[in-house]
Amino acid sequence: MKGVVNVAEVNCDEEGKLCRQQGVEGYPTLYLYNAGSRVDYKGPRKLDSMENFVRKAVTAGLNTVDFNSFSETAKSEKVVYLYLKTVNTSSYDVKKVETAVKPLHGDPPVVQSQDPLLWKHFNKDPSRGSVILAIKGGEVTSSFNVEPTTPAQSLSQWILENRLPLFDELSSDNFQNVMRSENPSYVVIVAIDTEARDGDRLAADTATLNEMAKTWNASGRKINGRPVVFVWMDGVQWQKWLKSMYGVKQTSMPAVVIADHENLVYYDTDRSKKPIAFDGPSVHQALEALDAGQLKAKHSENVVERTLRGFHHKLESFEAYFSEHPFRTMGWIVAFISLVIIGLWKLVQMDVDPHAQKRHRLD
């Protein structure tokens, strides 16, 4: 990567203050700083994957495409954003889009075009102004009209909400991006016993999940203002994790849970308290019940684990405060110790002062 990026290594045991300021929570952590922004790399710890991530990030931008070149891009990417512009699109609008897509760092890619064939292919009317399309699996799943009065925050929020595929296999390669996304989502997880499925049956299962995701996406609904993501997992490979996190056993697969990983809770029953079935109506009804507050959450951690995690977060907060305000913190500590000493001294004086004892006698 020489000539592309500068690579620096930091020992957080020696540079604790710096790591806390940068939000480092575990090791190893890889941050990319580019054009004044920072992104946390959440992909696999493989050299080729990290190199591909860096190259995409430093070259990210609104690359111009035509109908033919876009077709090639759409085939090679699970998700791609297409910014369709008109001859009247202002540089101000283009800058707004460039700013909104910057946090993506090239993943997924964002391309721009004025090609009439693309306008026609996606059945969009140029007279209505420029528009951004989120395209997944070759199909438009969402669109956003870019106008001079469009709030930049609304555009940025839409970009982040649509960056993940409609459905995907959840693996170690994309776990962080899905479960710990910058834009927290509810994740519908289908655990499949791959040992009991041949290729055709597995393809049928993923097709079912794809239809579930399409139907839900078409409704435009969110749960408590958060998007819903659909994934499937290899229940054999992830058997221990699925059992420890969601109580899913291989004998009960295919099993469906709705995970809220940000809060480490999940839902595995519908409003009638029956297990969520692996079919569209059952999953959609469970999501609707969750949105209505009719489902009871289960914890992915036991009481001891939740207590320890809460204590750990409070300790981290104290460390961060102490790092940012060392003198103020020392002042509070000195004041506290002083009050304790004064209190103990008064108690000792009460014990050795006979007049103090006499004043407290009833006779």
Side-chain angles (χ1 to χ4, degrees), residues 301 303-317:
E301 298 175 313
V303 175
V304 175
E305 289 173 330
R306 295 201 300 273
T307 302
L308 290 175
R309 184 162 62 91
F311 176 77
H312 179 68
H313 285 169
K314 290 185 181 296
L315 184 62
E316 285 185 333
S317 298

Side-chain angles (χ1 to χ4, degrees), residues 19-20 22-27 29 31 40 180 312-313 316:
C19 292
R20 285 192 295 271
Q22 296 303 311
V24 176
E25 297 181 346
Y27 314 117
T29 293
Y31 287 149
D40 182 4
R180 295 181 178 176
H312 179 68
H313 285 169
E316 285 185 333

Side-chain angles (χ1 to χ4, degrees), residues 219-332:
S219 72
R221 295 193 59 177
K222 297 180 181 180
I223 306 296
N224 300 321
R226 293 161 59 179
V228 178
V229 176
F230 293 76
V231 299
W232 72 273
M233 298 187 74
D234 185 333
V236 177
Q237 181 181 352
W238 290 79
Q239 183 178 1
K240 291 184 178 179
W241 185 82
L242 286 165
K243 184 177 180 180
S244 65
M245 289 293 291
Y246 309 123
V248 174
K249 299 179 181 179
Q250 189 172 354
T251 54
S252 64
M253 297 178 189
V256 181
V257 297
I258 303 171
D260 177 2
H261 197 72
E262 182 184 38
N263 298 305
L264 290 176
V265 298
Y266 67 97
Y267 309 83
D268 60 0
T269 58
D270 57 21
R271 56 166 57 94
S272 60
K273 299 184 179 180
K274 295 180 180 179
I276 303 172
F278 180 36
D279 62 63
S282 179
V283 172
H284 291 164
Q285 288 171 12
L287 288 170
E288 291 168 358
L290 173 58
D291 193 32
Q294 298 173 342
L295 300 187
K296 184 177 181 180
K298 296 181 180 179
H299 291 277
S300 298
E301 298 175 313
N302 58 40
V303 175
V304 175
E305 289 173 330
R306 295 201 300 273
T307 302
L308 290 175
R309 184 162 62 91
F311 176 77
H312 179 68
H313 285 169
K314 290 185 181 296
L315 184 62
E316 285 185 333
S317 298
F318 175 78
E319 290 178 349
Y321 183 85
F322 180 79
S323 176
E324 296 174 4
H325 310 285
F327 296 109
R328 185 183 302 176
T329 305
M330 288 301 299
W332 283 109

